[in-house]
Short mmCIF file of all heavy atoms in Angstrom, two decimals:
data_model
loop_
_atom_site.label_atom_id
_atom_site.label_comp_id
_atom_site.label_asym_id
_atom_site.label_seq_id
_atom_site.Cartn_x
_atom_site.Cartn_y
_atom_site.Cartn_z
N GLY A 236 103.38 101.01 84.65
CA GLY A 236 104.41 102.00 84.39
C GLY A 236 103.95 103.18 83.55
O GLY A 236 104.43 104.31 83.74
N ASP A 237 103.04 102.95 82.62
CA ASP A 237 102.57 104.03 81.76
C ASP A 237 101.82 105.11 82.54
O ASP A 237 101.63 106.21 82.02
CB ASP A 237 101.65 103.48 80.67
CG ASP A 237 102.41 102.67 79.63
OD1 ASP A 237 103.66 102.78 79.59
OD2 ASP A 237 101.77 101.93 78.86
N ASP A 238 101.40 104.82 83.76
CA ASP A 238 100.68 105.81 84.58
C ASP A 238 101.61 106.79 85.27
O ASP A 238 101.16 107.83 85.78
CB ASP A 238 99.85 105.10 85.66
CG ASP A 238 98.79 104.18 85.08
OD1 ASP A 238 98.26 104.48 84.01
OD2 ASP A 238 98.50 103.14 85.72
N LEU A 239 102.89 106.47 85.33
CA LEU A 239 103.80 107.23 86.20
C LEU A 239 104.05 108.66 85.74
O LEU A 239 104.13 109.57 86.56
CB LEU A 239 105.13 106.49 86.34
CG LEU A 239 105.09 105.19 87.13
CD1 LEU A 239 106.44 104.49 87.05
CD2 LEU A 239 104.72 105.44 88.58
N ALA A 240 104.20 108.88 84.44
CA ALA A 240 104.59 110.21 83.96
C ALA A 240 103.60 111.27 84.41
O ALA A 240 103.99 112.39 84.75
CB ALA A 240 104.70 110.19 82.44
N ARG A 241 102.31 110.94 84.44
CA ARG A 241 101.29 111.92 84.81
C ARG A 241 101.38 112.32 86.27
O ARG A 241 100.88 113.38 86.66
CB ARG A 241 99.89 111.36 84.52
CG ARG A 241 98.79 112.39 84.60
CD ARG A 241 97.43 111.76 84.63
NE ARG A 241 97.11 111.17 85.91
CZ ARG A 241 96.64 111.85 86.96
NH1 ARG A 241 96.47 113.16 86.89
NH2 ARG A 241 96.37 111.24 88.09
N LEU A 242 101.99 111.50 87.10
CA LEU A 242 102.01 111.75 88.54
C LEU A 242 103.06 112.77 88.96
O LEU A 242 102.94 113.34 90.05
CB LEU A 242 102.28 110.44 89.29
CG LEU A 242 101.36 109.25 89.00
CD1 LEU A 242 101.79 108.06 89.85
CD2 LEU A 242 99.91 109.59 89.24
N ILE A 243 104.07 112.99 88.13
CA ILE A 243 105.20 113.83 88.54
C ILE A 243 104.73 115.27 88.77
O ILE A 243 104.09 115.88 87.93
CB ILE A 243 106.30 113.80 87.47
CG1 ILE A 243 106.76 112.36 87.23
CG2 ILE A 243 107.47 114.66 87.91
CD1 ILE A 243 107.22 111.63 88.47
N GLY A 244 105.06 115.77 89.95
CA GLY A 244 104.66 117.11 90.33
C GLY A 244 103.44 117.15 91.24
O GLY A 244 103.18 118.17 91.87
N GLY A 245 102.72 116.03 91.30
CA GLY A 245 101.55 115.98 92.17
C GLY A 245 101.63 114.91 93.23
O GLY A 245 100.95 114.99 94.26
N TYR A 246 102.45 113.90 93.00
CA TYR A 246 102.61 112.79 93.93
C TYR A 246 104.09 112.59 94.24
O TYR A 246 104.96 112.89 93.41
CB TYR A 246 102.03 111.50 93.34
CG TYR A 246 100.53 111.48 93.23
CD1 TYR A 246 99.89 111.90 92.07
CD2 TYR A 246 99.74 111.04 94.29
CE1 TYR A 246 98.52 111.88 91.97
CE2 TYR A 246 98.36 111.02 94.19
CZ TYR A 246 97.76 111.44 93.03
OH TYR A 246 96.37 111.43 92.93
N ASP A 247 104.32 112.06 95.42
CA ASP A 247 105.70 111.83 95.87
C ASP A 247 106.04 110.35 95.98
O ASP A 247 107.21 110.00 96.16
CB ASP A 247 105.88 112.47 97.25
CG ASP A 247 105.43 113.92 97.26
OD1 ASP A 247 106.13 114.76 96.68
OD2 ASP A 247 104.35 114.20 97.82
N ALA A 248 105.03 109.49 95.92
CA ALA A 248 105.23 108.05 96.10
C ALA A 248 104.14 107.30 95.36
O ALA A 248 103.11 107.88 94.97
CB ALA A 248 105.19 107.69 97.60
N VAL A 249 104.33 106.01 95.17
CA VAL A 249 103.33 105.17 94.51
C VAL A 249 103.13 103.90 95.34
O VAL A 249 104.09 103.33 95.86
CB VAL A 249 103.73 104.78 93.07
CG1 VAL A 249 103.69 106.00 92.17
CG2 VAL A 249 105.11 104.14 93.03
N ASN A 250 101.88 103.49 95.46
CA ASN A 250 101.55 102.25 96.14
C ASN A 250 101.46 101.16 95.07
O ASN A 250 100.57 101.19 94.21
CB ASN A 250 100.21 102.39 96.89
CG ASN A 250 99.92 101.18 97.76
OD1 ASN A 250 100.45 100.09 97.55
ND2 ASN A 250 99.07 101.36 98.75
N VAL A 251 102.39 100.22 95.12
CA VAL A 251 102.45 99.15 94.13
C VAL A 251 101.78 97.92 94.72
O VAL A 251 102.22 97.39 95.74
CB VAL A 251 103.92 98.85 93.75
CG1 VAL A 251 103.97 97.79 92.66
CG2 VAL A 251 104.62 100.12 93.30
N LYS A 252 100.72 97.48 94.05
CA LYS A 252 99.99 96.28 94.47
C LYS A 252 99.96 95.30 93.30
O LYS A 252 99.67 95.68 92.16
CB LYS A 252 98.56 96.64 94.88
CG LYS A 252 98.45 97.53 96.10
CD LYS A 252 97.00 97.88 96.38
CE LYS A 252 96.87 98.78 97.61
NZ LYS A 252 95.46 99.21 97.83
N LEU A 253 100.20 94.05 93.58
CA LEU A 253 100.26 93.05 92.53
C LEU A 253 98.94 92.93 91.79
O LEU A 253 98.92 92.66 90.58
CB LEU A 253 100.67 91.69 93.11
CG LEU A 253 101.99 91.63 93.88
CD1 LEU A 253 102.31 90.19 94.25
CD2 LEU A 253 103.12 92.25 93.10
N ASP A 254 97.82 93.11 92.49
CA ASP A 254 96.52 92.99 91.84
C ASP A 254 96.26 94.13 90.87
O ASP A 254 95.40 94.02 90.01
CB ASP A 254 95.40 92.93 92.89
CG ASP A 254 95.27 91.56 93.52
OD1 ASP A 254 95.26 90.57 92.77
OD2 ASP A 254 95.20 91.47 94.75
N LYS A 255 96.97 95.24 91.01
CA LYS A 255 96.84 96.34 90.04
C LYS A 255 97.79 96.14 88.87
O LYS A 255 97.41 96.33 87.71
CB LYS A 255 97.13 97.68 90.71
CG LYS A 255 96.11 98.13 91.74
CD LYS A 255 96.34 99.57 92.18
CE LYS A 255 97.72 99.79 92.78
NZ LYS A 255 97.95 101.20 93.17
#
Side-chain angles (χ1 to χ4, degrees):
D237 289 344
D238 299 327
L239 291 174
R241 192 193 75 83
L242 306 180
I243 302 305
Y246 290 92
D247 309 287
V249 291
N250 188 338
V251 183
K252 296 177 180 176
L253 303 186
D254 281 313
K255 292 189 301 178

